[in-house]
Amino acid sequence: NTCLADGQFEQVVGLALEARRLDKRLIALEKCTDVNKLLQYSLKVAQTHVHSRQFRHKVLDTLVQEFLKQESPDYISISQCILFLDEPDKVTEIFLKLLKGSDDDVLLAYQVALDLAETQHQKFMRSVCNKLPEAAKPIVPAANGDVKPEDGSEPATDAMQTDESRQEEMLSPKDQAFEDNLARLKSILRGDVPIALYLDFLYEKNHSDLQILKNIKNAVET
């Protein structure tokens, strides 16, 4: 109560988590003016100082709900919580929501994916990637006028073509943009983009004298 009266909300959060009193932490959130900052502090404390796995999961699950209630949710912090909770389904939902949003939302999805890629949690990343929808295969006209899928398979007969398949002949610009963004996101989750970025950085910053390296190699071989 003294910390609440003095406005020391971070102290309240620390004591509440140490005493496992989540209700006191909620009181601090209600009285705090910078809720997002206090949520960030709560996440940091939960990850580093809460040793009970069961209670830590309970705190992280509560933090996810509280982050989502904010006017501008911090999806990067939310994804970190979900990573600790090992719930790839929720990350998939966030990615799909962001990919269907504005250009800034799409860029945010890429940033979240890059942050997850840095954790090197390969099993979690594969689960998220597998739960994302497969890329659509729009049907395009073949050279002889028959309708042929883009993957090169045999065209369907007139009897096999339904109204639904005819609707998939052309993707709208919005759907095509979603497919392109989805492909880029999966490339990040698979590690293709991060590895390419690391190699570009290493090549750019490499100032070694290749002749000296060649001489050293020849000397060692000799």
Side-chain angles (χ1 to χ4, degrees), residues 22 53-63 85:
L22 295 181
R53 183 174 182 272
Q54 183 177 2
F55 181 66
R56 182 170 63 250
H57 279 209
K58 184 177 181 180
V59 174
L60 293 175
D61 187 58
T62 305
L63 284 173
L85 294 172

Side-chain angles (χ1 to χ4, degrees), residues 35-192:
V35 177
N36 188 64
K37 181 180 179 181
L38 196 59
L39 288 175
Q40 294 284 352
Y41 180 77
S42 301
L43 174 59
K44 180 180 178 181
V45 173
Q47 292 175 334
T48 57
H49 293 86
V50 177
H51 302 295
S52 171
R53 183 174 182 272
Q54 183 177 2
F55 181 66
R56 182 170 63 250
H57 279 209
K58 184 177 181 180
V59 174
L60 293 175
D61 187 58
T62 305
L63 284 173
V64 171
Q65 301 175 25
E66 291 166 350
F67 272 118
L68 291 174
K69 290 179 182 177
Q70 303 305 307
E71 184 176 353
S72 298
D74 186 349
Y75 288 108
I76 294 178
S77 298
I78 293 173
S79 65
Q80 293 178 359
C81 293
I82 296 175
L83 176 64
F84 274 88
L85 294 172
D86 195 18
E87 296 179 346
D89 290 335
K90 292 184 178 180
V91 177
T92 304
E93 293 176 3
I94 291 175
F95 279 142
L96 292 177
K97 179 180 179 181
L98 292 175
L99 290 179
K100 295 177 181 178
S102 63
D103 292 341
D104 290 339
D105 291 336
V106 174
L107 293 177
L108 180 58
Y110 295 159
Q111 183 61 58
V112 172
L114 287 170
D115 289 344
L116 289 177
E118 289 183 356
T119 64
Q120 300 295 320
H121 196 321
Q122 299 299 328
K123 180 181 177 182
F124 185 85
M125 301 291 287
R126 285 196 301 269
S127 298
V128 174
C129 195
N130 291 335
K131 291 179 182 297
L132 289 170
E134 294 293 334
K137 296 180 179 178
I139 301 175
V140 297
N144 59 0
D146 295 333
V147 175
K148 185 177 182 179
E150 284 189 343
D151 57 5
S153 58
E154 290 300 321
T157 62
D158 293 338
M160 294 172 60
Q161 272 194 317
T162 62
D163 292 338
E164 181 179 355
S165 66
R166 292 192 182 94
Q167 293 175 359
E168 294 179 351
E169 291 181 5
M170 292 290 292
L171 287 175
S172 65
K174 183 178 180 180
D175 292 337
Q176 186 61 53
F178 174 79
E179 294 293 334
D180 295 340
N181 295 332
L182 179 61
R184 293 190 189 97
L185 181 68
K186 285 189 173 184
S187 180
I188 295 174
L189 295 174
R190 287 193 298 265
D192 300 338

Side-chain angles (χ1 to χ4, degrees), residues 1-32 38 41-42 45:
N1 293 332
T2 303
C3 292
L4 285 173
D6 294 340
Q8 298 177 356
F9 300 113
E10 292 185 354
Q11 296 288 342
V12 175
V13 169
L15 291 172
L17 293 179
E18 185 176 353
R20 301 191 180 186
R21 291 290 304 272
L22 295 181
D23 55 328
K24 295 296 184 180
R25 192 180 64 84
L26 292 176
I27 294 176
L29 287 174
E30 293 174 356
K31 295 186 177 182
C32 178
L38 196 59
Y41 180 77
S42 301
V45 173

